[in-house]
């Protein structure tokens, strides 16, 4: 047996080695200049400043949908209020439908290649052989008096020049008339469009990005007028809407906002059921399947009805319309209000949609309101549309369709429930907490995917989660770094969009909640972020700062590693040394016992090297009298002999940890003792602050340890678990261990 003398000087020397070798990458430095300097608009605490401002855009729109030639014709009056300190000589309007123009940058800059075998549909996508003329036809841009305004269209953006600069506090109204052909979503895809049902010849229209919309002007970027290329979604100001939608008289319309004329557009039976649903605690069928089928079989094209909707303080407006729609609704208690949870779906969605859609809307509103703010709008709508999941204020379009005989698998059911939770959840991120989707996809998709996971966990038993658990992101983070981008990457430069913008932020926030901060601190700070930035325009820095400000947890290392790098978590147990205090020879019996144990250990260690197991037995170290240099002036003295007796017989385990992936992480250890009991210890990530590559720590245990496991419950997204076990043995990969928990 070797003898070891442990001293403070030795520990200080060891901790300084890495500094001397220049191994540090400053993972614990503050973000500093990586995020904007606080100012009077956005404070260092992450809250809006005392001079925070934002613009307002109000709309009065009349639109007609032609069900025979699948087109939209509309006229709008926009009233724009300048709350900024800057006079504005022109306004920028988004023309998102122009992304479907054949010369759109979306198509001209997309890459493609030919392979040995190319599916015909892929060939069609490369050649753009759709016989579809997309984009807006802008018919006029005028003052409310009818005078022409000068405007310039630059692809998906239109600059409208004002007769004179719009001063702070002033408003300006102008008019735009436009039309466009609705795209076949099942052919050319898209967030908006129509689906034709060949068996009965009818359509379901899900209409979005359908009117010219104001761009955001803010204190961060000025005008957010980046071109729409397809991935980066939308940055929009809040405003009030009055919208009249004219459709065939047998259509049912679902839309953002409140229906103002239900008696005019509904039959008496439908109206009575609609009123009943406002007090119901389970779904009430307003338009039945039988009624929808009768309309399908006797379509009305020439007669029309106009549905009138209004919405306050929303950032956008979308609608869906079809004669095929079944419609159900129920009230849900959220705080002191009772919004209506509603679903619209063709018969092709049943029985799945009637059974699960509105229920999922209710559960989503309940869970998100718990963690953010009470849902403030009067309705939340789920519309069934094949092969899509897309969100707008108060309304979303969701996939999940049974077989023709009505049967469906668990995968279809849970896929549908998952997408409804996700898209309804987008009401909170970014429809209310209104981040810039054109720039930072993760701020809406990532935060929303995290909250989707919380809803699945709390509202459904044994839900097969797609995103959220730490294990779900392991295959991505352990992949080829040339195909990975940091989370803090513009939407159009992301390679693996789903993993980067949805999966990784969701897993990161789950780890932050469960492992780094703990649920109590995290939930308070997350709710504070939602409260501060509801109906405002937050940036990443506002989120980062608020989470720290409301929790007193320094998280700069976490944001830096998880959001600004492509590092991954791969911690390992490099070495374990087992020590005991050298015993005083108090009696012969004890002396003989120690000699036998030492002899057995010595014989065992002569046969093989046991540096990777406990078979070599413990090593001894000597406790020596404390020298005066350790006390300084007036420090209390310790009883050296009493301390030696107190720790006599206890087990000291010196563990050397390595950080192989570069991403610093808390250390979670499970100790298994000789008597079969187990204990978990959690060490904050700050253990790596002096040496980001290696850390040593001594654990004092009463009982003898036979096994040590790092990250036993897969909390940290550790990509390689082969080095997480001591004594070392073969183990399955983390993905193999937990793949049954993942759905799709």
């Amino acid at each position: 047996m070797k003898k070891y003398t442990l001293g403070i000087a030795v520990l200080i020397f060891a901790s300084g080695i890495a500094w001397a070798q220049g191994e540090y990458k400053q993972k614990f430095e503050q973000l500093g200049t990586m995020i904007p300097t606080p100012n009077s608009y956005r404070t260092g605490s992450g809250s809006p400043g005392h001079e925070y401002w934002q613009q307002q855009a109000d709309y009065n729109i009349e639109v007609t949908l032609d069900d025979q030639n699948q087109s939209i014709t509309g006229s709008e009056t926009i009233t724009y209020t300048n709350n900024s300190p800057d006079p504005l000589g022109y306004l920028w309007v988004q023309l998102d439908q122009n992304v479907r123009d054949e010369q759109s940058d979306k198509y001209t800059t997309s890459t493609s290649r030919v392979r040995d075998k190319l599916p015909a549909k892929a060939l069609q996508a490369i050649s753009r052989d759709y016989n579809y003329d997309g984009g807006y036809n802008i018919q006029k841009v005028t003052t409310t008096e009818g005078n022409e305004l000068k405007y310039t269209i630059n692809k998906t953006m239109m600059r409208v020049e004002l007769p004179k600069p719009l001063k702070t506090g002033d408003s300006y109204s102008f008019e735009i008339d436009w039309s466009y052909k609705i795209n076949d979503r099942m052919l050319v895809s898209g967030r908006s469009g129509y689906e034709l049902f060949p068996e009965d010849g009818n359509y379901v229209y899900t209409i979005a990005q359908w009117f010219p919309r104001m761009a955001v002007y803010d204190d961060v970027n000025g005008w957010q007028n980046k071109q729409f290329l397809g991935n980066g979604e939308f940055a929009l100001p809040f405003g009030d809407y009055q919208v009249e939608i004219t459709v065939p008289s047998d259509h049912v319309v679902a839309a953002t906002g409140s229906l103002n004329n239900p008696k005019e557009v509904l039959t008496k039976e439908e109206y009575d059921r609609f009123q009943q649903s406002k007090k119901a605690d389970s779904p009430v069928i307003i338009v039945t399947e039988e009624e929808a089928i009768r309309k399908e079989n006797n379509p009305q094209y020439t007669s029309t009805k106009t549905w009138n909707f209004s919405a306050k303080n929303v950032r956008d407006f979308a609608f869906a319309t079809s004669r095929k729609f079944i419609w159900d609704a129920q009230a849900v208690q959220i705080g002191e209000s009772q919004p209506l949870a509603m679903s619209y779906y063709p018969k092709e969605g049943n029985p799945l949609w009637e059974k699960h859609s509105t229920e999922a809307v209710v559960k989503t509103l309940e869970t998100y309101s718990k963690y953010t703010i009470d849902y403030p709008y009067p309705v939340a709508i789920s519309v069934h549309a094949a092969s899509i999941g897309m969100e707008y204020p108060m309304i979303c379009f969701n996939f999940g369709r049974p077989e023709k005989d009505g049967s469906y698998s668990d995968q279809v059911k849970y896929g549908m429930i998952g997408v409804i939770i996700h898209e309804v959840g987008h009401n909170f991120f970014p429809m209310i907490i209104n981040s810039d989707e054109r720039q930072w996809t993760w701020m809406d998709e990532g935060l929303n995917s995290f909250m989707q996971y919380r809803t699945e966990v709390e509202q459904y038993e044994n839900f097969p989660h797609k995103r959220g658990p730490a294990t779900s992101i392991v295959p991505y983070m352990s992949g080829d770094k040339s195909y990975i981008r940091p989370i803090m990457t513009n939407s159009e430069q992301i390679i693996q969009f789903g993993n980067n913008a949805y999966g990784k932020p969701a897993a990161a926030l789950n780890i932050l909640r469960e492992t780094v901060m703990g649920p109590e601190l995290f939930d308070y700070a997350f709710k504070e972020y939602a409260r501060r930035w509801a109906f405002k325009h937050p940036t990443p820095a506002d989120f980062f700062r608020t989470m720290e400000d409301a929790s007193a947890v320094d998280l700069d290392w976490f944001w830096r590693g998880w959001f600004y790098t492509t590092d991954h978590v791969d911690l390992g147990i490099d070495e374990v040394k087992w020590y005991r205090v050298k015993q005083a020879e108090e009696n012969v019996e004890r002396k003989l016992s120690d000699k036998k144990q030492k002899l057995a250990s010595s014989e065992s260690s002569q046969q093989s090297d046991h540096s990777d197991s406990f078979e070599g037995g413990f090593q001894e170290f000597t406790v020596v009298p404390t020298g005066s240099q350790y006390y300084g002036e007036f420090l209390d003295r310790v009883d050296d002999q009493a301390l030696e007796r107190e720790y006599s017989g206890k087990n000291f385990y010196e563990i050397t940890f390595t950080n192989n992936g570069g991403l610093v992480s808390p250390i979670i250890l499970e100790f298994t003792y000789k008597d079969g009991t187990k204990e978990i210890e959690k060490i904050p990530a700050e253990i790596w602050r002096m040496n980001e590559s290696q850390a040593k720590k001594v654990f004092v245990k009463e009982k003898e340890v036979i096994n040590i496991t790092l990250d036993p419950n897969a909390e940290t997204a550790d990509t390689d678990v082969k080095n997480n076990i001591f004594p070392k043995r073969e183990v399955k990969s983390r993905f193999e261990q937990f793949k049954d928990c993942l759905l799709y």
Side-chain angles (χ1 to χ4, degrees), residues 169-366:
D170 287 352
S171 298
Y172 186 78
S173 296
F174 62 104
E175 298 178 352
I176 306 176
D177 288 356
W178 79 96
S179 63
Y180 71 89
K181 294 181 179 179
I182 305 171
N183 57 295
D184 182 346
R185 243 188 356 92
M186 311 315 291
L187 179 65
V188 301
S189 72
R191 295 171 173 85
S192 173
Y194 66 78
E195 177 184 0
L196 169 66
F197 290 79
E199 284 128 348
D200 55 57
N202 292 294
Y203 296 82
V204 167
Y205 297 91
T206 47
I207 305 300
Q209 293 86 246
W210 55 280
F211 61 99
R213 306 180 296 175
M214 290 303 307
V216 166
Y217 183 82
D218 65 15
D219 61 286
V220 179
N221 299 302
W223 285 108
Q224 171 49 291
N225 54 8
K226 292 181 183 295
Q227 293 290 334
F228 180 38
L229 300 180
N231 283 338
E233 290 181 329
F234 312 108
L236 299 160
F238 287 102
D240 298 338
Y241 287 73
Q242 292 288 337
V243 181
E244 294 183 358
I245 304 170
T246 300
V247 294
S249 59
D250 57 353
H251 272 219
V252 173
V253 179
T256 299
S258 299
L259 177 60
N260 297 324
N261 61 337
K263 285 188 175 181
E264 296 175 19
V265 295
L266 303 179
T267 67
K268 184 180 185 308
E269 292 81 4
E270 291 167 351
Y271 177 81
D272 291 342
R273 296 168 192 158
F274 181 47
Q275 296 303 113
Q276 180 188 350
S277 71
K278 295 178 180 180
K279 297 181 180 179
D281 58 5
S282 61
V284 173
I285 306 294
I286 299 167
V287 177
T288 69
E289 183 168 338
E290 291 74 17
E291 290 166 340
I293 291 173
R294 284 199 297 270
K295 295 179 187 178
E296 289 179 2
N297 295 331
N298 185 30
Q300 302 297 310
Y301 293 108
T302 56
S303 62
T304 63
K305 286 183 180 178
T306 298
W307 296 59
N308 190 313
F309 293 89
S310 61
K312 287 188 173 296
N313 208 16
V314 293
R315 56 166 251 170
D316 199 2
F317 192 103
F319 69 95
T321 182
S322 177
R323 63 178 54 88
K324 292 176 63 65
F325 277 153
I326 304 161
W327 174 16
D328 70 52
Q330 77 167 81
V332 52
Q333 191 70 45
I334 302 293
E336 297 180 357
S337 65
Q338 284 188 313
L340 278 177
M342 303 197 289
S343 296
Y344 296 74
Y345 43 96
K347 66 180 186 297
E348 287 78 6
N350 266 340
L352 180 62
W353 273 71
E354 183 175 321
K355 185 174 182 180
H356 292 291
S357 177
T358 297
E359 177 189 56
V361 176
V362 170
K363 291 181 175 182
T364 303
L365 296 184
E366 290 174 343

Side-chain angles (χ1 to χ4, degrees), residues 3 54 57 162 171 225 232 237 244 258 268 284 302 346 350 433 445 480 541 583 622 657 700 736 739:
K3 297 181 180 179
Q54 63 188 39
L162 303 179
S171 298
N225 54 8
E244 294 183 358
S258 299
K268 184 180 185 308
V284 173
T302 56
N350 266 340
I433 302 149
E445 299 295 358
D480 185 343
Q583 304 294 322
T622 302
F657 303 99
V700 183
E736 286 295 317
K739 67 179 180 180

Side-chain angles (χ1 to χ4, degrees), residues 463-533:
F463 196 100
H465 311 292
K466 179 182 179 182
R467 298 182 175 114
T471 51
S472 66
I473 203 62
V474 166
Y476 170 68
M477 294 186 70
S478 58
D480 185 343
K481 290 291 194 281
S482 64
Y483 294 99
I484 298 176
R485 295 285 186 269
I487 291 175
M488 289 291 289
T489 299
N490 177 271
S491 305
E492 301 301 339
Q493 279 75 58
I494 297 171
I495 298 177
Q496 299 185 57
F497 202 80
N499 284 319
N500 177 284
Y502 295 66
K504 187 178 177 182
L509 292 173
N510 189 46
I511 291 168
L512 187 61
R513 180 181 192 266
E514 303 299 332
T515 303
V516 177
M517 298 176 71
E520 184 177 359
L521 287 175
F522 178 94
D523 292 349
Y524 183 91
F526 194 77
K527 195 174 185 72
E528 179 66 8
Y529 168 70
R531 186 193 66 78
R532 287 178 176 181
W533 290 98

Side-chain angles (χ1 to χ4, degrees), residues 233 389-393 395-396 423 426 430-431 437 444-445:
E233 290 181 329
M390 195 57 205
E391 72 282 355
Y392 302 92
I395 187 171
C396 56
E423 306 306 341
H426 270 306
M431 302 303 154
E437 296 180 276
D444 67 292
E445 299 295 358

